[in-house]
Amino acid sequence: MRRSTPKWPENRRVTSSELSPAERFAASKIRTRTPQLQAFRSRLTFPLDEFQLAACEVVEAGRSVLVAAPTGAGKTLVAEFAIHLAMQDARDKVFYTAPMKALSNQKFQELVAEYGASEVGLLTGDTNVNSRARIVVMTTEVLRNMLYAGSDLLTDLRYVVLDEVHFLGDRFRGAVWEEVIIHLPLDVRMVSLSATVSNAEEFGDWLQAVRGETDVIVSEERPVPLQQHVLVGSKYLDLFDSSGQAATNRVNPEVVRATSLQRRSGGRAGGGRPGTGSHGYSNRRGGSRPAPHPQAVPGRMDRWKIVDMLDGLNLLPAIFFVFSRVGCDQAVRQVLRSGVRLTTAAEREEIREIVDEHCRTLRDEDLAVLGYYEWLEGLERGVAAHHAGMLPAFKEVVEILFQRKLVKAVFATETLALGINMPARSVVLEKLEKFNGEARVPITPGEYTQLTGRAGRRGIDVEGHSVIQWTQGLDPQAVAALASRRTYPLNSSFRPTYNMAVNLIEQFGRSRTREVLETSFAQFQADRAVVDLARKVRTQQESLDGYAKSMECHLGDFREYILLRQEIADLERQGASRADVQSRGERERRQDKITGLRREMRQHPCHACPEREQHARWAERWYKLKKQTDQLSAQIRSRTGAVAKIFDRVTDVLLDLGYLVPRDGSNSAEAATYDSSNVSRVAEVDVAGPGRTLRRIYGDRDLLVAECLRRGSWNSLDVPSLAAMAATLVYEPRRDEGTVSERYLPRGEYRTALDRTQTIWSELDDLEQAHKLPGTSQPAPGLALAMHRWARGATLDSVLDDADLAAGDFVRWTKQTIDMLDQLSIVADSPVGTTARKALDAVRRGIVSYSAV
């Protein structure tokens, strides 16, 4: 497995005559060994970096590769080379997977431009375009589902690209990446593209173990150097000292002085005109703009002033990361109120043409509801927001305009940092903390790397710039530590699910499935930890043996004696710590026990030993170390076979419910037991009829959906009610949402069906608790009324009022509702299957039917 990148003589900008004979010979060998790479390079207008060349050579040699490199370094070029290779054979196919539909749509457009519409397909759950093409772009979930279904689209598959494979660590969706990696046919080569993670070699070792020949290519060099700054009041300062000690990441003394002054003045300093710091500038567009309203935060520059400053420093286009959808929209309004205009007349005309082209399918009556006219005004002035609450069409237009340098300032949430091709000259971080759904927490070094990775456009900028806006309480040293740590670990989030269990058992049987799950990255990491723990236990055991020898007593077993002494000491400590809260009876019982132990201790033979206290000193060390060793041993026991143990609990639930049945010759009790030390003794099971339905249901509430279909809980639902029920099954409410009042639920049969569904959920939850499983989230009817009305043909503005959602959120949840209805239309018998097909047509209309493709 390759750990480092070799030097490539033919990548130097020198003529053949300038090379030494040895270098010419090496270059000739490489050209002979990699003819396809040489042909691919001849089509490019720029030289390849060393890590790109090394990775492409691995792919042409027929091996899989993991490429870990910073954002914007050009990892996708390796994927493009794999596509190039696949297209050289008339039968080969390649799948390109991405974690987000927006990334899939963007990559689809790029590949269509390169290879033509007939050769490229797109599968994203709610979009199916040319699925039998030789190049198919898809979300990772779609590929996982294809693998479990044994789809014929897998025939002749040669390469799979896993873009943004570090999503494997995502606690909600990460397991999908592991499922794909484990179950993909071994003759399919994988090109895995990852951000720079600190344990790339560990991840590569796992890929090698489960996939065979896999090379790891790591590059930690940003293609465009990053200059990091702090904006303290109106002072624009370098974060790191540039006096010759910058390599040590020493904080710029000016930053320390400026932040100290701000703290002493309570943040009042620096509220005036920007540019008084170490970087002076003049406004290229001329004139000054009066502030339209007072500053919201003392000592912090208004957003329009920062835009103006960056414009003067020639640092636009810029992305401002705000971490709040409301904050993004407010920021755009603030900048527009200031009178900022960043575009020329010709640029505004081009912007209007692009907007008209991409938004022509939107209905006139919906435009005002969607905030179209305010959005268009911002675009024409070079300013826009970008977040998940926006209509997908609007986000797509913002991305296109930003890439074409027509929009110069974008206020975005962190979702923009996840792989979408929107590099900027500079990135501004308004805060270094965000709300994670429960509390405000500092951003991690990995998140900082992702966000600032947008700064610097390869081939355009000499360097990128990140600007951190200083706030009260921010420590310059902490900022420097965050900015100087560029990597983060990739940790598995894999956990067996009900759908996964029935699919794997159907394919492999129970015993083999346990073995398959033991190959997961989750278990691989646990086992590595176990190896380290076991090594520590062995070391400590040697020390324990030495202590035991030193405390040997000729009168008796000194270990017995020291355990009595320790138990007395522990009881006395407990009594002292609980003196204020314990009852009189508790005190008396504890004292009686201590008295009995003291009597037993005095009667022990070792108590009379003249060297008792010398033995005791060694014994106390032995006792303390033994306690630590026992704790380590318990950790080892809990981690060994951890994934298979969860799978066994999932299997037991499915056996109890009849989704799995004991194989002929074994009874239910035998089937529900296992022996982790001997996999061959595990009783085999078979997938029953209900389990075959469950095989084709994907989602967090898979078992609940299967059980409701099995019991006929939704048989009486009409089209709008089934659409509302599907929304109830996919919707995840915000943490601040309370219980939905009955008067805000659709009337009629839906309410009865919801009661039945919630009863079934409660029964399943009790069963899961009994089997020590975390349980499934409760159905959430918060979107039910809006979806019911939408399926009945209600207008967009009334539905958005019902849902209390932004248009983009409504579209996103509706597309997930469509995905659930699509599953029901396939797996459910009549009447639910028939109703689901009608519900699909009723829901897929208006802005929901708009495709970003």
Side-chain angles (χ1 to χ4, degrees):
M1 185 181 300
R2 182 174 298 157
R3 300 295 186 186
S4 58
T5 305
K7 297 297 179 184
W8 290 76
E10 84 279 26
N11 196 40
R12 298 178 182 176
R13 291 183 175 275
V14 293
T15 63
S16 177
S17 60
E18 293 175 295
L19 295 174
S20 69
E23 288 174 327
R24 286 199 297 273
F25 178 71
S28 173
K29 282 187 66 177
I30 291 170
R31 285 193 295 272
T32 303
R33 187 172 64 244
T34 57
Q36 288 298 335
L37 176 55
Q38 304 313 314
F40 178 72
R41 292 178 67 194
S42 68
R43 294 164 36 192
L44 304 177
T45 59
F46 51 87
L48 299 186
D49 290 340
E50 293 177 356
F51 86 89
Q52 294 170 323
L53 287 163
C56 289
E57 185 192 34
V58 170
V59 175
E60 184 163 0
R63 301 191 299 275
S64 296
V65 67
L66 167 65
V67 184
T71 301
K75 298 185 290 289
T76 54
L77 185 134
V78 183
E80 290 163 10
F81 177 63
I83 295 170
H84 165 82
L85 282 179
M87 298 305 286
Q88 304 311 303
D89 189 292
R91 295 172 60 91
D92 283 355
K93 293 165 64 174
V94 57
F95 288 171
Y96 192 111
T97 76
M100 298 165 62
K101 292 178 183 179
L103 296 181
S104 299
N105 291 335
Q106 190 175 74
K107 200 64 197 178
F108 172 76
Q109 299 284 10
E110 293 173 4
L111 290 170
V112 166
E114 176 74 18
Y115 292 98
S118 63
E119 296 287 6
V120 187
L122 177 68
L123 295 173
T124 60
D126 56 275
T127 303
N128 186 329
V129 178
N130 198 16
S131 61
R132 296 194 172 274
R134 293 180 58 201
I135 307 168
V136 185
V137 183
M138 62 186 67
T139 54
T140 319
E141 281 85 355
V142 169
L143 178 54
R144 185 272 311 273
N145 298 351
M146 288 170 60
L147 289 168
Y148 281 158
S151 171
D152 63 345
L153 296 179
L154 297 166
T155 304
D156 296 324
L157 180 61
R158 177 64 174 158
Y159 299 100
V160 164
V161 176
L162 293 178
D163 200 357
E164 308 285 341
V165 74
H166 52 272
F167 258 78
L168 181 144
D170 184 84
R171 65 189 179 117
F172 298 109
R173 299 172 55 209
V176 176
W177 274 258
E178 289 193 51
E179 291 177 75
V180 166
I181 291 168
I182 292 171
H183 301 302
L184 202 62
L186 290 177
D187 61 342
V188 176
R189 290 293 166 237
M190 282 189 355
V191 176
S192 304
L193 310 178
S194 170
T196 308
V197 293
S198 53
N199 59 337
E201 282 78 10
E202 179 189 40
F203 184 48
D205 287 344
W206 175 66
L207 291 174
Q208 174 85 16
V210 296
R211 302 292 313 166
E213 292 183 318
T214 302
D215 286 37
V216 178
I217 306 295
V218 177
S219 173
E220 297 183 5
E221 294 295 321
R222 278 181 54 99
V224 180
L226 180 67
Q227 300 297 320
Q228 306 191 74
H229 314 280
V230 180
L231 189 60
V232 186
S234 61
K235 292 181 180 292
Y236 179 75
L237 306 168
D238 292 331
L239 172 59
F240 295 112
D241 187 2
S242 58
S243 62
Q245 301 185 54
T248 61
N249 290 328
R250 177 174 177 262
V251 178
N252 182 358
E254 281 191 75
V255 172
V256 177
R257 284 194 295 271
T259 56
S260 178
L261 177 63
Q262 283 282 85
R263 279 194 293 268
R264 288 198 298 272
S265 65
R268 291 187 299 275
R273 183 81 180 157
T276 58
S278 59
H279 294 265
Y281 78 97
S282 61
N283 182 2
R284 288 189 293 115
R285 300 185 186 277
S288 62
R289 303 185 181 99
H293 51 78
Q295 286 185 206
V297 181
R300 281 170 65 88
M301 287 175 64
D302 279 340
R303 286 157 171 153
W304 72 267
K305 289 184 179 180
I306 300 176
V307 171
D308 203 34
M309 181 192 74
L310 295 177
D311 188 22
L313 291 168
N314 195 25
L315 293 181
L316 295 180
I319 299 172
F320 292 70
F321 285 109
V322 181
F323 301 132
S324 158
R325 298 179 186 183
V326 173
C328 291
D329 294 333
Q330 287 177 344
V332 172
R333 287 194 289 270
Q334 289 167 10
V335 173
L336 294 183
R337 279 199 300 266
S338 74
V340 164
R341 186 181 299 279
L342 303 171
T343 55
T344 64
E347 288 173 332
R348 290 193 289 276
E349 181 63 30
E350 187 177 353
I351 287 168
R352 283 190 288 271
E353 290 177 1
I354 292 171
V355 170
D356 289 342
E357 177 188 350
H358 286 80
C359 297
R360 63 179 181 273
T361 58
L362 298 178
R363 297 178 179 178
D364 290 342
E365 61 267 28
D366 291 340
L367 295 182
V369 178
L370 297 170
Y372 171 84
Y373 300 104
E374 296 87 347
W375 171 70
L376 178 59
E377 181 193 1
L379 295 180
E380 289 183 351
R381 288 163 63 178
V383 181
H386 188 289
H387 57 73
M390 294 172 61
L391 192 68
F394 287 8
K395 284 198 298 181
E396 181 190 5
V397 169
V398 171
E399 292 160 14
I400 291 170
L401 295 178
F402 195 80
Q403 290 165 13
R404 297 189 186 182
K405 308 176 195 175
L406 297 171
V407 164
K408 314 299 172 70
V410 170
F411 296 88
T413 55
E414 70 269 28
T415 54
L416 188 147
L418 300 176
I420 297 174
N421 183 24
M422 280 183 65
R425 179 162 291 172
S426 58
V427 163
V428 178
L429 301 181
E430 293 196 348
K431 292 181 180 177
L432 293 181
E433 63 176 21
K434 65 174 187 175
F435 187 70
N436 67 355
E438 297 177 353
R440 298 207 69 83
V441 297
I443 64 172
T444 65
E447 289 167 336
Y448 182 88
T449 301
Q450 284 280 91
L451 297 169
T452 57
R454 292 282 149 216
R457 298 164 297 176
R458 186 169 186 166
I460 301 174
D461 298 322
V462 176
E463 58 190 18
H465 297 263
S466 70
V467 182
I468 298 167
Q469 207 172 358
W470 186 82
T471 57
Q472 286 288 344
L474 203 58
D475 178 17
Q477 299 294 341
V479 174
L482 180 72
S484 60
R485 290 174 58 195
R486 296 298 177 80
T487 59
Y488 54 101
L490 177 60
N491 294 312
S492 173
S493 60
F494 183 81
R495 187 180 68 84
T497 65
Y498 297 110
N499 170 275
M500 185 193 305
V502 291
N503 271 293
L504 294 181
I505 288 172
E506 180 81 358
Q507 284 186 273
F508 304 116
R510 186 181 185 186
S511 298
R512 173 69 182 129
T513 293
R514 295 181 87 255
E515 295 174 4
V516 168
L517 293 177
E518 292 287 8
T519 67
S520 67
F521 188 45
Q523 191 59 54
F524 184 84
Q525 288 190 307
D527 288 344
R528 283 212 163 183
V530 164
V531 168
D532 293 337
L533 289 173
R535 187 182 299 116
K536 192 170 183 180
V537 166
R538 284 195 300 272
T539 302
Q540 292 187 353
Q541 190 60 53
E542 293 173 4
S543 298
L544 282 171
D545 292 341
Y547 294 160
K549 189 169 184 63
S550 298
M551 71 182 190
E552 285 179 358
C553 178
H554 66 286
L555 296 178
D557 187 346
F558 205 86
R559 278 182 291 194
E560 289 180 0
Y561 180 74
I562 198 62
L563 289 174
L564 287 170
R565 282 177 55 150
Q566 288 295 335
E567 190 173 359
I568 292 168
D570 291 344
L571 285 168
E572 288 175 338
R573 275 195 298 271
Q574 289 174 16
S577 64
R578 290 176 48 83
D580 296 335
V581 296
Q582 61 187 339
S583 66
R584 180 178 177 180
E586 284 179 309
R587 284 197 299 271
E588 290 177 351
R589 283 192 294 274
R590 180 177 288 106
Q591 191 56 49
D592 288 345
K593 188 169 185 180
I594 291 173
T595 301
L597 288 170
R598 285 190 183 281
R599 186 184 308 115
E600 189 177 348
M601 181 186 71
R602 285 193 293 268
Q603 293 171 353
H604 195 282
C606 293
H607 189 69
C609 179
E611 297 178 335
R612 182 185 68 198
E613 293 310 311
Q614 183 179 346
H615 294 329
R617 283 194 292 273
W618 287 107
E620 285 167 2
R621 295 180 191 175
W622 173 86
Y623 178 81
K624 185 177 180 181
L625 188 60
K626 185 173 190 309
K627 202 171 181 180
Q628 293 176 0
T629 306
D630 289 345
Q631 289 172 347
L632 291 174
S633 298
Q635 288 185 46
I636 290 172
R637 288 193 298 273
S638 68
R639 294 187 183 193
T640 303
V643 176
K645 288 173 185 174
I646 296 173
F647 165 73
D648 284 315
R649 293 169 188 165
V650 167
T651 301
D652 290 345
V653 169
L654 294 173
L655 279 163
D656 286 353
L657 293 170
Y659 287 82
L660 300 173
V661 292
R663 184 163 293 176
D664 293 343
S666 64
N667 59 45
S668 182
E670 290 172 342
T673 61
Y674 60 89
D675 181 350
S676 60
S677 64
N678 187 353
V679 173
S680 64
R681 289 173 53 190
V682 174
E684 285 296 346
V685 296
D686 290 316
V687 178
R692 294 190 182 91
T693 300
L694 178 58
R695 280 191 66 193
R696 296 178 292 169
I697 299 172
Y698 301 95
D700 292 338
R701 299 182 176 103
D702 49 4
L703 184 58
L704 176 62
V705 173
E707 193 66 3
C708 288
L709 290 177
R710 182 185 186 185
R711 300 191 195 184
S713 302
W714 305 330
N715 287 358
S716 58
L717 293 178
D718 59 12
V719 166
S721 298
L722 186 60
M725 183 58 69
T728 301
L729 294 166
V730 300
Y731 183 60
E732 295 293 343
R734 298 186 297 267
R735 290 183 180 271
D736 58 352
E737 284 187 39
T739 304
V740 180
S741 170
E742 186 170 302
R743 66 194 180 98
Y744 293 111
L745 296 176
R747 296 181 181 278
E749 187 58 33
Y750 170 84
R751 296 187 183 183
T752 305
L754 178 62
D755 287 341
R756 289 195 292 262
T757 302
Q758 289 177 326
T759 299
I760 293 171
W761 170 83
S762 181
E763 294 171 2
L764 293 178
D765 190 59
D766 289 343
L767 185 60
E768 288 169 325
Q769 300 273 353
H771 286 285
K772 299 180 180 179
L773 288 170
T776 305
S777 57
Q778 188 172 1
L783 193 60
L785 181 59
M787 195 60 63
H788 190 275
R789 298 193 64 229
W790 180 253
R792 291 176 58 196
T795 61
L796 177 63
D797 58 342
S798 65
V799 169
L800 292 181
D801 283 342
D802 285 340
D804 190 25
L805 285 176
D809 287 325
F810 177 72
V811 170
R812 178 165 54 89
W813 287 120
T814 304
K815 289 197 171 186
Q816 291 192 37
T817 299
I818 287 171
D819 184 53
M820 175 55 66
L821 288 170
D822 190 44
Q823 292 185 47
L824 294 177
S825 72
I826 296 170
V827 304
D829 296 328
S830 187
V832 174
T834 304
T835 306
R837 285 187 283 276
K838 294 177 181 176
L840 280 169
D841 294 332
V843 171
R844 196 186 281 124
R845 66 179 183 86
I847 61 169
V848 176
S849 65
Y850 172 83
S851 172
V853 179

